[in-house]
Amino acid sequence: MQEHKPDAHGAAADDAVRIPFEALERRVLAMAQALVGAREARLEAESRVKALQERVRKQDAEIARLKDEIGNDRLRESVRTRLESLLKRIDELERQG
């Protein structure tokens, strides 16, 4: 193991090593904070995606229900029209008969 011997510049040599290390340490901490922020943003985005997917699923179900209702309304209207036509014929036949 090599022993560190102070030279004529003593503290200046230690400072020269410490400054790049401190800069590196700041960069690592900044990157770690950025990573944490990115993870939090990803989790929030995933949560929003799930909520939107649930809304889409509910809207799809509502659309299907409304389509069925429209189909039923059309069927009812068709049956009503046919019944009215039959009742008119019956009325005409009764008047003639």
Side-chain angles (χ1 to χ4, degrees), residues 7-94:
D7 58 3
H9 302 289
D14 287 342
D15 286 345
V17 171
R18 194 175 304 128
I19 290 171
F21 180 77
E22 288 172 357
L24 178 61
E25 184 178 26
R26 281 192 302 273
R27 288 180 65 193
V28 168
L29 288 174
M31 290 183 108
Q33 289 173 343
L35 179 61
V36 167
R39 284 182 180 165
E40 288 173 354
R42 187 191 83 225
L43 290 173
E44 181 179 336
E46 288 173 353
S47 176
R48 291 181 66 201
V49 165
K50 286 180 184 179
L52 290 171
Q53 286 172 334
E54 181 62 20
R55 279 182 58 190
V56 167
R57 188 192 62 74
K58 286 179 181 178
Q59 288 176 350
D60 285 347
E62 180 66 8
I63 288 169
R65 187 190 66 76
L66 290 172
K67 283 181 179 180
D68 287 344
E69 189 175 312
I70 289 169
N72 291 337
D73 287 347
R74 287 182 182 158
L75 179 61
R76 274 189 228 112
E77 183 63 27
S78 173
V79 169
R80 186 179 67 78
T81 303
R82 288 173 41 199
L83 283 174
E84 286 175 353
S85 176
L86 287 172
L87 288 174
K88 283 180 185 177
R89 283 186 188 170
I90 290 171
D91 285 344
E92 288 174 11
L93 290 172
E94 285 178 348

